[in-house]
Amino acid sequence: MSSLVKPDLSGVALLCDLNRHNSQIRFPQHPFAGCVDDLLPGSCATADLLRRSALLWHDGRLDEGLRYAATATDVKCEENHDLCALAPLWHVGLLTKARKLEDGWRVLNSLGARKGDPEAQRTTATSHIIRGELLFATGRVDDALTEVKAGLRIAERCGARPLRPAGYVVMAHSALRRADMRACAHLVDKLTGEALLGYFGQAAGAWVTAQVAEARNGVDSAAGLIAGIVTNPFVLRQLLVSEPAAASWLVRAAGMLGAHDLAKEAVAAAEVAATENPGLSVIRGAASHAAGLLESDPVKLCEAANLYPDQWCGASAKEDMATLLAERRTERDNTIRILESALGAYTAVGATRDASRVVNKLREFGVRRGAIRAAEREGDLPHGLTNTEFAVAELVSQGHTNNEVGRQLFISRHTVACHLKKVYQKMSVASRVELAASWKSMRPMLEGNWVTKPT
């Protein structure tokens, strides 16, 4: 097994305590784990370049890692190592993290012209998941899910278990964007299972788990994970060069917890990442975004919105900037304009949950926009429920209070109560307990694909 891809599983951090991570481990699991070649330094030029690329990425130097990955793609492996054949996909994966999306598509599309014999199953599965990551970063959520699910099916058949976490992270982020909390919980359970089996080595997995905890039960429920991520330099460095939205989320969450030291630590780490990756505008944007939140500086948030190369991150910076400007009466018109711009970007990338939040903010200024529904189902719903009633029933059956349901669906608790009353009438139940029992009995019928549609 290559030193590039094989970690010491005894040191893999579990979700319950990231600080137990062994700082001496240089290579957490990633999708290329499991290749049979022993690619120690010097085994071939391509392997050595890949090893250097991975070292740099794990150390927070994505810019340099990209350079080595690009060179590895162009160097032919004379010994036909399995891992070396994946060099172009590794390159695409890093380009996606750097949000060099056009370059990612260029490299990915060039692979089709160079393919000869059918790829091995592991390579095919990896290709699907890497393509899914790129599609998600581009904002094509439906297409991303299709690719990831295809990759996971193939990975299951060929026993490529280390591919699962990367796929689950994309799926969990997609579910978060659509306010599909049941899917989020299911995917976090899967990620936790991979951790216990030694396959959870990605900082992104810990971060998405924290996001889901915050979305479902409030920021206090994610406090331990947030502290674990921020105070673990290894995890934080890798996260900041893998997920551009992480820095601002950590600062925002730490602020809500009143953990200002954690917020400052996250900002400092983001600024170091920006210094070490001067050629990547996405990391410089993330640092400006985090600093703008910490310092309540709309100028830095505007700078971040202009630096970000992808729509979702840009919309997030705009929303935060509008939140600051909303405190100034003279900025009312400007605030509305910025919120509407953020809403358009969120809608374009299928971010239902975020769009709903911005719609509610606009309503506070007397500006009404069409409501954005949470996760919806294709086809007829049971008992004649509307999509909103279905979402309310689903969350209530999981034991959530009206306040918690309202927070997740971005509606008031009074609106939740009205929808719940209609659910009771349509389903002929009289209490939350009866609803939960009835919902459980319908579970096989409720399984299926979720889609998101505007009203």
Side-chain angles (χ1 to χ4, degrees):
M1 178 72 71
S2 165
S3 63
L4 169 65
V5 297
K6 183 178 180 181
D8 177 355
L9 297 182
S10 65
V12 173
L14 297 182
L15 296 179
C16 59
D17 188 1
L18 285 174
N19 283 317
R20 296 164 68 183
H21 188 91
N22 185 340
S23 61
Q24 296 180 348
I25 297 172
R26 302 302 304 275
F27 305 110
Q29 283 278 15
H30 61 74
F32 298 167
C35 291
V36 297
D37 302 312
D38 184 15
L39 300 179
L40 295 173
S43 60
C44 77
T46 305
D48 188 52
L49 289 166
L50 285 172
R51 185 183 67 86
R52 291 171 183 265
S53 175
L55 268 170
L56 289 162
W57 170 54
H58 289 308
D59 199 38
R61 298 172 62 191
L62 177 58
D63 206 349
E64 289 294 319
L66 270 169
R67 292 191 180 95
Y68 278 98
T71 305
T73 299
D74 294 332
V75 173
K76 180 176 175 57
C77 173
E78 300 296 339
E79 301 178 42
N80 296 317
H81 293 124
D82 289 344
L83 182 61
C84 292
L86 294 170
L89 294 176
W90 172 262
H91 187 200
V92 174
L94 293 191
L95 286 168
T96 300
K97 298 179 193 310
R99 293 303 189 264
K100 291 181 175 288
L101 304 180
E102 290 185 5
D103 290 342
W105 284 119
R106 176 181 53 78
V107 175
L108 195 60
N109 291 335
S110 71
L111 299 182
R114 295 202 306 231
K115 283 183 179 179
D117 296 332
E119 299 287 340
Q121 282 191 317
R122 186 183 300 275
T123 303
T124 303
T126 303
S127 178
H128 278 297
I129 290 177
I130 293 293
R131 183 181 291 271
E133 291 178 339
L134 181 54
L135 285 164
F136 182 81
T138 307
R140 295 164 58 185
V141 178
D142 288 335
D143 293 336
L145 286 172
T146 298
E147 290 289 339
V148 167
K149 289 176 181 178
L152 289 175
R153 285 195 295 269
I154 298 171
E156 184 70 26
R157 291 199 298 268
C158 69
R161 185 152 202 157
L163 280 166
R164 292 182 180 181
Y168 293 156
V169 166
V170 174
M171 293 174 71
H173 273 129
S174 299
L176 267 175
R177 285 194 178 181
R178 295 171 163 185
D180 184 355
M181 295 304 152
R182 182 165 67 91
C184 284
H186 179 60
L187 289 160
V188 164
D189 287 344
K190 286 179 173 290
L191 281 168
T192 304
E194 298 305 311
L196 295 172
L197 291 169
Y199 291 98
F200 186 91
Q202 298 185 23
W207 177 52
V208 77
T209 301
Q211 290 180 85
V212 171
E214 185 272 334
R216 285 174 58 82
N217 299 308
V219 71
D220 288 345
S221 66
L225 271 172
I226 292 166
I229 292 169
V230 175
T231 59
N232 187 317
F234 181 92
V235 172
L236 186 59
R237 279 200 307 272
Q238 188 188 125
L239 180 62
L240 294 178
V241 296
S242 302
E243 298 286 349
S248 57
W249 187 89
L250 289 169
V251 172
R252 197 181 298 110
M256 289 188 287
L257 289 168
H260 301 298
D261 288 346
L262 289 179
K264 289 179 181 178
E265 197 167 344
V267 170
E271 290 174 344
V272 169
T275 300
E276 294 181 343
N277 297 273
L280 300 181
S281 63
V282 69
I283 296 180
R284 288 187 284 118
S288 294
H289 194 169
L293 283 171
L294 181 66
E295 300 165 15
S296 297
D297 186 346
V299 174
K300 288 187 176 180
L301 294 174
C302 182
E303 177 185 356
N306 291 329
L307 281 170
Y308 279 133
D310 68 284
Q311 288 193 79
W312 192 95
C313 287
S316 177
K318 289 177 181 178
E319 182 186 354
D320 286 330
M321 177 170 55
T323 299
L324 286 180
L325 294 177
E327 299 173 2
R328 308 174 185 177
R329 293 183 180 180
T330 58
E331 295 285 357
R332 181 182 184 280
D333 291 344
N334 200 24
T335 299
I336 293 172
R337 178 182 61 80
I338 295 170
L339 283 174
E340 288 183 325
S341 177
L343 176 61
Y346 282 143
T347 303
V349 297
T352 306
R353 181 170 178 263
D354 305 295
S356 296
R357 184 177 59 249
V358 174
V359 164
N360 286 343
K361 290 182 179 181
L362 283 167
R363 284 175 181 162
E364 294 175 3
F365 287 92
V367 179
R368 299 192 64 81
R369 293 288 180 265
I372 307 296
R373 289 178 181 165
E376 298 182 359
R377 283 186 172 275
E378 294 177 317
D380 295 331
L381 296 174
H383 299 285
L385 298 177
T386 67
N387 283 291
T388 303
E389 290 165 357
F390 184 96
V392 168
E394 171 70 24
L395 292 170
V396 169
S397 71
Q398 295 173 7
H400 291 286
T401 66
N402 286 6
N403 280 336
E404 292 169 342
V405 173
R407 178 166 50 80
Q408 293 187 34
L409 298 180
F410 298 102
I411 57 180
S412 72
R413 62 186 178 84
H414 301 293
T415 303
V416 172
C418 290
H419 286 305
L420 187 57
K421 182 178 179 181
K422 293 178 181 177
V423 170
Y424 285 174
Q425 292 171 346
K426 292 180 178 181
M427 294 185 63
S428 299
V429 297
S431 69
R432 301 171 95 90
V433 173
E434 290 183 20
L435 172 61
S438 179
W439 206 256
K440 183 178 180 180
S441 69
M442 294 192 303
R443 181 65 59 198
M445 181 178 66
L446 298 176
E447 296 298 329
N449 294 322
W450 291 72
V451 297
T452 303
K453 299 177 182 177
T455 56

